[in-house]
Amino acid sequence: MLPDQTFLRIPGPTPIPPSVQRAMNQPMIGHRDQEIKDLLHSIKPKLKPVFGTSQDVLMIAGSGTAGLESVVTNTVRPGDEVLVIVTGAFGDRFVQICQEYRIATHRFDVEWGEAVKPEAIEDYLKQHHEIKAVFATFCETSTGVLNPVQEIAQVVHQQSDALFIVDGVSCLGGVEAKMDDWGIDILITGSQKALMLPAGLTFLAVSDRAWQVIETNERPSFYLDLTKYRKQLENDSTPFTPAVSLLFGLKQVLELFEEEGLDAVCARHKLMMNMTREAFKTLGIPLLTSDQAASPTVTAIKPHDFDPDALRNVLKKEFKLTTAGGQQHLKGQIFRIGHMGYCSPADVLQTISIIEGALHKIGKHVELGSGTRAAQETMLSGGS
Ligand SMILES: *Cc1c(COP(=O)(O)O)cnc(C)c1O
C-alpha cells in the first residue's frame, strides 16, 4: 500500500485540488497592501453566483460555526423569539448557539433522515406571531438530507415578517442556490466542504432586509460584528487580518468553478449522488433518506445486518479510505460518504468498488462489482 495515498470521502474537510494547493503556497503578502485589495476585488464578483445574490459576500476567518454564531449575535437579542428547524446535528447547533445568547428558542424537530415539510412550518408560524427569525439547515450533513429551503422561504415570508436564515455550509458550491430569488435573508457557508478549501473561512451573504435589522440591533460581539466586514469589503479590505493563504486558494477555486461552469458543477454533484444511491440500492443495503430528501453532497447508509463502524475500520485500515460515522443517536447506526467538492464520478466508482471489497472482509457477502456496475450504468445514462 502506498504510505502517503489516502482517500478522503467525508462530508468535510474535503480534498484540495492541486492547483488550489499550489495557489495557497504563494509567499505571504502584506494584509494592507494593494495586492490584497486586488485579490479581494477579483474574488468579490465571482462569489455572488455561488450564493445567487447581488450582495457582497462577507468573509470571516473562522470555521463555519463562527458564521452561524455571527448571525445569531447580529440579528436577534436576548428575549427575542426565534424558530429553529432541527433536522439533525447542525440544526441542533443553531439551537445551542441561540440558547447560549439567551434567545427565546422554539425548536421544531423533524425525524432524523427526513426533510422538513414547508406546510408544517406554515402551521407553526400561524400559531406563533412573535417569531423574529427562522433558522434552517440547507443540507443537514448528519443525515444527508437537503431541506426545501426555497419553499420554506416562501411560507416564512407569507406568514411572518421573520428573517429567514440558512446554514448552507455543507452544500454551497455543490447545489444550486438562488438566495435573492428564493428570499433567503442570510446564507452562510464554510470553506472546507464543497468549496474545496481547508477549514478556516466562513462566508455570509445578507439581504437588504436583514441589514436593516442588523443595523438597529445591539450586536454584542466585537470580532463577529458583520457591519465591520461589510464596511471594509466595500473598499476591498477586511477589518482584521484575513486568512491570506485561503484567499489565494479561493481565487483559484472560483476560477475552477468558472471553467467548469456552476451548472455543470451542480450536475456533477447530482450525478455522484445518484451513482452512490443506485449502488447501495443494488447491493441491498438501505439508505437513510428517501430519493426526494437526498442531498447531492453526502449520502448516509443505514445497514441492518452489519456494523457500519466495523466496515469503516476496515476501509480506513486496509484501504486508507476515510468515511464518516453517525452523530448523536445515529452513532453506530449509519455511515456517511461525502461526495462533494474535488470529487468526480470516477472517485465515486473507486469508493463503491473499495466498499464492496471491504464488505467481503467483514463477512457481508455482496456480489462483487454489482454496486460498481449500477454506479457505472447510472453514470453512462447521464445520472437519472
Ligand atoms: C460542517 C458544518 C458546519 C460548520 O462546522 P465547523 O466545524 O464550524 O466548520 C455547519 N453547518 C453544517 C451543516 C455543516 O456541515
Side-chain angles (χ1 to χ4, degrees):
M1 193 160 40
L2 291 171
D4 64 345
Q5 187 182 40
T6 56
F7 308 102
L8 187 60
R9 291 278 87 92
I10 59 175
T14 61
I16 314 292
S19 66
V20 174
Q21 197 81 58
R22 286 194 297 275
M24 291 189 301
N25 279 341
Q26 290 173 74
M28 201 40 56
I29 54 175
H31 70 301
R32 297 287 175 238
D33 287 353
Q34 185 61 37
E35 288 102 309
I36 200 91
K37 281 190 183 295
D38 294 345
L39 184 59
L40 286 166
H41 192 76
S42 73
I43 286 171
K44 272 189 342 188
K46 294 181 182 175
L47 265 178
K48 294 178 183 194
V50 177
F51 285 68
T53 185
S54 62
Q55 304 285 343
D56 277 343
V57 178
L58 311 180
M59 287 163 270
I60 304 177
S63 83
T65 306
L68 305 187
E69 182 159 346
S70 75
V71 169
V72 173
T73 62
N74 280 262
T75 59
V76 285
R77 63 183 85 190
D80 278 356
E81 289 187 39
V82 302
L83 172 62
V84 182
I85 301 169
V86 180
T87 54
F90 288 98
D92 193 52
R93 181 168 298 181
F94 253 146
V95 171
Q96 289 176 38
I97 297 169
C98 289
Q99 288 177 342
E100 194 70 37
Y101 285 95
R102 310 289 179 265
I103 313 297
T105 309
H106 298 252
R107 154 184 196 128
F108 190 92
D109 276 288
V110 175
E111 183 160 338
W112 286 36
E114 286 176 17
V116 66
K117 292 192 175 63
E119 312 83 76
I121 300 307
E122 184 171 14
D123 290 345
Y124 198 93
L125 290 172
K126 274 184 188 156
Q127 288 156 28
H128 299 86
H129 298 286
E130 293 304 310
I131 289 179
K132 296 249 171 69
V134 177
F135 294 84
T137 316
F138 196 169
C139 168
E140 176 49 71
T141 325
S142 61
T143 61
V145 158
L146 195 74
N147 282 302
V149 293
Q150 182 181 1
E151 288 79 3
I152 304 167
Q154 214 170 2
V155 302
V156 168
H157 298 313
Q158 271 165 10
Q159 296 302 326
S160 72
D161 292 325
L163 295 178
F164 184 49
I165 295 163
V166 175
D167 170 356
V169 176
S170 62
C171 62
L172 235 65
V175 303
E176 182 186 53
K178 296 261 171 273
M179 166 173 162
D180 293 354
D181 292 352
W182 295 351
I184 294 173
D185 288 299
I186 303 183
L187 184 55
I188 309 140
T189 196
S191 51
Q192 80 275 27
K193 310 266 167 103
L195 290 184
M196 308 188 282
L197 288 164
L201 269 185
T202 184
F203 304 81
L204 304 103
V206 179
S207 72
D208 291 331
R209 283 180 81 225
W211 277 123
Q212 281 168 16
V213 171
I214 291 169
E215 281 158 8
T216 57
N217 206 38
E218 278 166 38
R219 301 190 302 276
S221 173
F222 183 79
Y223 185 70
L224 297 178
D225 178 348
L226 294 179
T227 62
K228 290 191 177 100
Y229 290 86
R230 173 173 66 168
K231 187 158 168 266
Q232 292 299 324
L233 195 58
E234 279 167 8
N235 301 313
D236 299 325
S237 185
T238 56
F240 312 109
T241 311
V244 178
S245 302
L246 291 173
L247 294 180
F248 284 144
L250 175 62
K251 180 168 188 260
Q252 177 58 20
V253 165
L254 295 169
E255 269 161 35
L256 291 176
F257 278 166
E258 228 170 47
E259 204 173 312
E260 186 177 357
L262 272 182
D263 290 346
V265 170
C266 296
R268 170 166 53 84
H269 282 80
K270 256 190 203 152
L271 173 59
M272 296 192 294
M273 166 186 78
N274 288 332
M275 289 171 66
T276 305
R277 294 179 67 83
E278 286 311 311
F280 284 96
K281 285 179 198 170
T282 301
L283 290 168
I285 302 172
L287 298 158
L288 177 67
T289 66
S290 68
D291 288 348
Q292 231 201 340
S295 170
T297 54
V298 51
T299 297
I301 298 110
K302 192 172 189 293
H304 53 64
D305 57 359
F306 64 88
D307 173 9
D309 289 334
L311 174 70
R312 290 180 54 235
N313 282 336
V314 170
L315 288 171
K316 182 76 208 264
K317 279 211 185 77
E318 300 195 29
F319 300 96
K320 301 259 190 95
L321 171 69
T322 308
T323 53
Q327 290 174 278
Q328 298 187 21
H329 68 271
L330 288 180
K331 217 176 173 69
Q333 310 232 336
I334 63 168
F335 66 102
R336 293 173 295 148
I337 300 171
H339 36 76
M340 69 176 100
Y342 193 61
C343 185
S344 68
D347 292 317
V348 174
L349 292 179
Q350 181 186 52
T351 302
I352 300 298
S353 144
I354 293 173
I355 288 174
E356 287 177 332
L359 283 168
H360 259 251
K361 293 212 170 208
I362 63 162
K364 162 79 181 164
H365 289 282
V366 295
E367 191 190 331
L368 287 179
S370 61
T372 306
R373 184 190 169 117
Q376 288 170 322
E377 283 168 352
T378 306
M379 182 179 74
L380 293 174
S381 70
S384 43

